Amino acid sequence: MQKGPSQVSSGNIAPAVVGPEKDMKDVWVLSGLVLFLSGLIAVAWYYGQTGDQDRITSATEKVEPTNVSELLKHASAVSQAEASTPRTTPVTAPVGTPADIIHADVYFETGRKGLTDEGKALLTSQATLLKEHAEYGVLIQGYTDQQGSAGYNMKLGLKRAETVKTELLNAGIAEHRMKTVSLGEEGVLCVDTSDVCRQINRRVHLEIRKIGQEHMAVPAATATAADSAATGNEGRDLYPSAPSH
């Protein structure tokens, strides 16, 4: 009887692990090395950030709240100073030229010819104008209210006009540039008898007019002729000539 092929019965045999164990060890070593390097990088980054934060905190701590307020005030002051600093661009201011005719009134108290403080201040400003513009002359007109007689008021009006003229003379205005006249109560503007109306009428009116210096000064030739004529008349009055036959 022929023997068949030998049969080998095998029990539960575990499969062999394919791949060497050495490779697994290398993987674990590399993994550990990567983790170690990652940790070093993380630590370096952490301390770097901490150092920067410390420097920022230190710089911030140096700027106290009071310093911040002072800095803001200083910045505001600098901005205001720059805004208020005039530009260097030259600006030519227009030269004011007075009108050809200027009117002004000086008021007086009842029955008085003396100037009030307001009147003196007004005449000071008018004298300044006349000194700056020699081509202007002034007509000084005296007025009164309707109280008193017409003759008295005419004299009072002239006294007031002469008071104003004297004030301007003392301020340096040449006499030949001024003329005085009195209208008394004839020149009243307000016709009722109220105190307000009477105050308006008690005044000296200044009419300052552009005339020209050559039209205000008396020519020398005319003045000499007038003086000679006056002297001649005086001589004839003292020594009358004999009548002719």
Side-chain angles (χ1 to χ4, degrees):
M1 184 174 175
Q2 292 181 351
K3 295 180 181 180
S6 59
Q7 296 179 353
V8 177
S9 63
S10 61
N12 295 328
I13 300 174
V17 178
V18 179
E21 294 181 359
K22 184 178 180 180
D23 293 339
M24 292 300 297
K25 290 180 180 180
D26 292 340
V27 171
W28 284 108
V29 170
L30 289 175
S31 299
L33 183 59
V34 170
L35 290 175
F36 178 73
L37 293 176
S38 299
L40 289 178
I41 295 172
V43 170
W45 177 84
Y46 173 77
Y47 280 106
Q49 292 295 321
T50 304
D52 292 340
Q53 187 65 31
D54 290 340
R55 286 192 295 272
I56 294 172
T57 303
S58 176
T60 305
E61 288 175 351
K62 291 180 182 180
V63 183
E64 299 178 355
T66 56
N67 293 336
V68 172
S69 178
E70 292 178 358
L71 289 173
L72 291 175
K73 290 180 180 179
H74 178 69
S76 177
V78 171
S79 299
Q80 293 178 358
E82 292 179 352
S84 61
T85 301
R87 302 299 180 185
T88 57
T89 304
V91 178
T92 304
V95 179
T97 302
D100 289 345
I101 303 176
I102 302 170
H103 297 278
D105 287 307
V106 180
Y107 294 96
F108 292 79
E109 297 177 355
T110 303
R112 301 294 181 85
K113 65 176 182 178
L115 294 169
T116 62
D117 292 339
E118 292 80 3
K120 291 180 180 179
L122 185 143
L123 290 176
T124 298
S125 64
Q126 299 305 318
T128 301
L129 183 146
L130 288 169
K131 284 188 287 188
E132 292 177 352
H133 300 278
E135 70 277 14
Y136 281 76
V138 54
L139 176 62
I140 306 171
Q141 308 166 19
Y143 295 90
T144 68
D145 58 27
Q146 292 174 307
Q147 299 181 92
S149 65
Y152 171 80
N153 288 333
M154 190 66 68
K155 293 178 181 179
L156 180 58
L158 185 58
K159 289 179 180 179
R160 288 172 173 170
E162 291 294 337
T163 298
V164 170
K165 178 181 178 181
T166 301
E167 188 74 12
L168 293 175
L169 280 172
N170 294 335
I173 307 304
E175 185 174 6
H176 71 272
R177 300 174 62 188
M178 298 180 286
K179 297 294 182 289
T180 58
V181 64
S182 174
L183 282 81
E185 64 183 55
E186 296 180 4
V188 294
L189 295 174
C190 210
V191 296
D192 62 56
T193 58
S194 65
D195 292 339
V196 175
C197 188
R198 287 173 176 172
Q199 176 62 40
I200 292 173
N201 291 327
R202 295 192 299 268
R203 73 191 192 282
V204 165
H205 181 74
L206 302 178
E207 182 181 319
I208 303 173
R209 185 181 292 267
K210 187 176 181 180
I211 300 173
Q213 299 184 51
E214 68 279 7
H215 301 302
M216 289 183 288
V218 178
T222 303
T224 302
D227 293 340
S228 300
T231 303
N233 290 333
E234 290 176 358
R236 286 193 296 271
D237 292 337
L238 291 174
Y239 305 99
S241 58
S244 59
H245 296 286

